[in-house]
Amino acid sequence: MPAKVDPEDAVKRLVAAIDEDRLWRRHLEIATFGETGRGGVNRQALSKAETEAKQAFLRWATAADYETGTDAIGNIFVRRAGAEPGAAPVVAGSHLDSQPTGGNFDGVYGVLAALEVLDAASGIGLGTKRGLEAVVWMNEEGARFQPSTMGSSVFAGEFPLAAALASQDRSGVTVEDALRAQMTVLDVEQVVPFGAPMAAYLEAHIEQGPILEATQKTIGVVTGIQGLRWFQIDVRGEEGHAGTTPHLGRRDAMAAAANMVTALQRLMRDESDRVRFTVGRFEVSPNSPNTIPGHVLFTIDFRHPGAETLRRLGDQVEAVCHDHAGGCDITVRQTIETPPATFDTAISDQIRAAAARQGLPNMDILSGATHDAKYMTGLCPTGMIFVPCEGGRSHTEIESATSGDLVAGARVLAEVMVRLACA
Ligand code: GLV
Ligand code: MN
Ligand code: MN
């Protein structure tokens, strides 16, 4: 029988064992995979660079003798076993994939902070009742394969595995093929079932917005995540000669799409500046200066904290597009709809209390960005810890965070994880 662990003593020792230098060095190493030469990374899901980042993660995990495993959608789990083999683990993590012009902290931080908690526990030989687990979710960003938060939504049973595997990137490569190629390199056993029990899920992340920095807070106690709807609009017109085709009767897909975007921006105008509306992808075909565009595809990313506004405005997108189709054939497809998520107050209370005990200025905050954590809310008590990032900038190569803030968040994560793992 392992000796009973005093949680207060475990917290003190574990928090002291969190190693700022190791955490920072690992960020620097992960930043080399997919580096663009402009300070950021292009490490999209299931790319060679993302495979290399996961190899580094698994190398660290294997060196520490943790159990490793994957599931059928390529989420990777690393477990430091607890004393009670049947007890559900306390899990933390995030993602290693990036935007095409991504930074070095979005996602990476949550994965490395989780691994740091496991390694700090090992460093002091800490025994916990529950296992401590670090997870790397597959394709959080959704830049290469849509939808985003793919691995966590499939794991949680909120998105069908078959649809995820069939998703194609812009060159027609499927998730199924790209995942098979990645798994051949990683060589992790597929032993984790979807929905595998978790005692709790935590995710540390940079804020990706300006609030913590502006208010000089080190820790954001995340209360929830705003709702999100993504659409893909396909506009089919008719190609023709730009110099000779009379305007009357043209079916110009580009002109129609531009009118749709202008009308949608009008629809989404919001004095209170809470609506988030972005057309982030706009593809014109054949993309030649002197041919009338015959085809345009564009995407909409629409977010709001309120379910009612999300419904009311989102439900008008299709009609607005049809009103401005200009004779083109259009299809409007919603690719994701997630309602606003609320995190478990008992977990938020623990995060707030840990931050206070550690003398860290903190505040409650709602996440504007989406995260894998939103899908864990249906499975187990879930919470998130934010730390500041410079100028609130993210999804850009200039994304930056300080080592001091990162380690502060990791110490709060460690305290909450060990308390839960001893309970
Ligand atoms: C994830 O990065 C998001 O889109 O919020
Ligand atoms: Mn992220
Ligand atoms: Mn992101």
Side-chain angles (χ1 to χ4, degrees):
M1 271 283 279
K4 196 152 170 29
V5 176
D6 168 15
E8 297 311 319
D9 177 62
V11 165
K12 225 179 280 162
R13 289 168 55 226
L14 182 64
V15 168
I18 293 289
D19 183 338
E20 176 172 357
D21 189 48
R22 176 170 56 198
L23 182 61
W24 184 250
R25 273 189 286 107
R26 285 178 172 171
H27 277 88
L28 297 184
E29 181 161 346
I30 296 291
T32 63
F33 305 119
E35 68 182 324
T36 58
R38 293 178 301 269
V41 288
N42 179 4
R43 197 171 53 236
Q44 294 181 57
L46 306 179
S47 62
K48 180 168 175 287
E50 202 231 15
T51 305
E52 289 166 348
K54 286 175 173 169
Q55 279 180 297
F57 172 76
L58 284 166
R59 186 165 25 83
W60 292 321
T62 313
D65 265 343
Y66 304 140
E67 295 162 30
T68 62
T70 187
D71 59 18
I73 193 62
N75 299 312
I76 294 173
F77 301 81
V78 156
R79 179 182 296 195
R80 180 175 186 271
E84 270 183 29
V90 177
V91 184
S94 197
H95 59 98
L96 292 174
D97 65 315
S98 83
Q99 290 288 318
T101 52
N104 294 315
F105 302 93
D106 176 359
V108 180
Y109 171 51
V111 170
L112 295 183
L115 184 63
E116 181 54 38
V117 173
L118 272 62
D119 282 353
S122 296
I124 57 169
L126 185 69
T128 50
K129 174 179 136 187
R130 299 177 182 282
L132 296 171
E133 220 167 273
V135 56
V136 182
W137 298 110
M138 201 284 287
N139 185 26
E140 190 274 350
E141 295 288 4
R144 179 180 177 194
F145 299 105
Q146 287 78 54
S148 62
T149 48
M150 183 180 273
S152 51
S153 60
V154 173
F155 178 85
E158 300 275 348
F159 191 71
L161 173 65
L165 292 174
S167 174
Q168 294 184 3
D169 70 7
R170 285 193 279 170
S171 22
V173 177
T174 61
V175 165
E176 185 167 18
D177 287 345
L179 184 57
R180 192 180 307 113
Q182 180 171 82
M183 283 305 156
T184 307
V185 175
L186 294 184
D187 195 22
V188 198
E189 256 193 285
Q190 195 182 302
V191 288
V192 182
F194 291 144
M198 296 180 183
Y201 176 76
L202 288 140
E203 187 161 343
H205 209 284
I206 56 166
E207 181 203 337
Q208 306 185 276
I211 298 168
L212 294 179
E213 186 183 67
T215 53
Q216 298 190 311
K217 300 285 196 284
T218 310
I219 299 294
V221 181
V222 187
T223 54
I225 299 180
Q226 69 175 341
L228 161 80
R229 295 178 76 170
W230 276 16
F231 299 88
Q232 185 166 302
I233 323 294
D234 204 74
V235 186
R236 295 207 173 264
E238 198 172 8
E239 290 177 10
H241 196 292
T244 60
T245 312
H247 278 268
L248 205 64
R250 278 191 188 196
R251 295 201 307 133
D252 182 334
M254 174 67 199
N259 288 335
M260 289 177 208
V261 173
T262 305
L264 287 166
Q265 268 167 339
R266 212 175 302 123
L267 170 75
M268 300 285 179
R269 199 172 292 148
D270 168 29
E271 294 292 307
S272 67
D273 197 19
R274 294 175 82 211
V275 169
R276 299 284 175 263
F277 171 79
T278 306
V279 174
R281 173 169 292 165
F282 204 97
E283 292 175 355
V284 184
S285 172
N287 209 13
S288 167
N290 46 357
T291 294
I292 298 164
H295 181 217
V296 168
L297 180 147
F298 68 96
T299 57
I300 294 169
D301 175 312
F302 163 49
R303 310 187 194 202
H304 196 276
E308 160 57 21
T309 307
L310 207 61
R311 187 196 55 73
R312 184 173 50 79
L313 293 177
D315 286 358
Q316 293 178 64
V317 164
E318 182 159 4
V320 168
C321 291
H322 278 284
D323 286 349
H324 296 82
C328 296
D329 298 319
I330 66 167
T331 52
V332 177
R333 194 163 67 85
Q334 180 167 273
T335 52
I336 320 182
E337 177 170 13
T338 55
T342 306
F343 290 142
D344 189 281
T345 50
I347 300 285
S348 306
D349 288 349
Q350 288 225 32
I351 295 170
R352 200 178 300 107
R357 247 189 315 267
Q358 294 182 29
L360 299 165
N362 65 86
M363 65 180 288
D364 287 8
I365 189 167
L366 179 76
S367 178
T370 198
H371 300 285
D372 296 301
K374 79 183 165 198
Y375 286 110
M376 297 307 114
T377 57
L379 300 182
C380 64
T382 297
M384 286 191 75
I385 299 162
F386 275 178
V387 297
C389 56
E390 194 179 321
R393 306 290 303 272
S394 186
H395 284 195
T396 158
E397 292 177 276
I398 65 167
E399 178 183 275
S400 184
T402 68
S403 175
D405 286 340
L406 298 179
V407 76
R411 289 189 177 122
V412 171
L413 178 69
E415 174 161 347
V416 178
M417 283 183 83
V418 75
R419 283 186 192 283
L420 293 166
C422 289

